Amino acid sequence: PTAAELAADELAALLPENAGGYALQSAVFTLDPIGAELDREILAELQAAAEANEADLGLFAIGQAGGSGPEGFVTVAAVRIPGVPGEQLQAAVAELLLPEFDTEGAPVEEHGERSARVIDLGDGQSAYIFSSGDVVWFVVTADEDPGEIIASLP
């Protein structure tokens, strides 16, 4: 496997199999197949963050896990460039995943030991964005108390 594939495998290992009572199906992608689809400005921001931390943008990985049931749904996304603190990637990743929303001005809520920006997506759905180590996490759900879901993430 290539270094990018190994980095993607590391991210895949962080994605939960279950969250908030939902069994999740997941997939992880490297920069190679999706890089051409990324906004050039966002790609430049990611590159600058990687260079500032002497990291390799080529190790960028994005993963998604989701599940649903009679009670609702949860989608978890994770973005990582090994060696780059998630806080430094959060704004660019938020723009990548939620381009239509103002994530910088979003309110912050405490969920256990985590502080997450909360974006109202409409229709009772919210996105919770936070960083842990070198991973930026996004949780999208209609669950009014996402604490258990957020706590289940590394």
Side-chain angles (χ1 to χ4, degrees):
T2 66
E5 291 168 335
L6 292 173
D9 288 346
E10 289 174 5
L11 183 62
L14 296 175
L15 291 170
E17 293 180 8
N18 293 286
Y22 301 101
L24 306 181
Q25 303 271 331
S26 64
V28 177
F29 303 93
T30 62
L31 187 62
D32 190 40
I34 65 166
E37 298 174 27
L38 296 182
D39 178 279
R40 295 291 131 214
E41 288 181 28
I42 293 172
L43 198 54
E45 288 179 48
L46 296 172
Q47 179 65 46
E51 288 174 1
N53 289 280
E54 298 179 6
D56 182 359
L57 179 61
L59 300 181
F60 170 96
I62 184 169
Q64 184 269 337
S68 63
E71 301 294 317
F73 75 96
V74 64
T75 298
V76 175
V79 177
R80 179 177 186 241
I81 301 173
V84 179
E87 296 86 17
Q88 294 179 20
L89 300 174
Q90 198 163 307
V93 171
E95 177 67 22
L96 172 68
L97 296 179
L98 297 172
E100 320 256 315
F101 295 90
D102 172 21
T103 58
E104 296 273 330
V108 175
E109 289 182 1
E110 299 299 319
H111 293 278
E113 297 182 13
R114 299 213 163 110
S115 297
R117 291 207 176 273
V118 183
I119 293 83
D120 180 357
L121 303 176
D123 294 328
Q125 300 176 26
S126 296
Y128 301 84
I129 306 167
F130 61 95
S131 301
S132 177
D134 60 4
V135 179
V136 179
W137 293 98
F138 281 71
V139 174
V140 176
T141 185
D143 192 325
E144 291 183 18
D145 182 13
E148 181 184 338
I149 298 166
I150 292 171
S152 73
L153 300 172

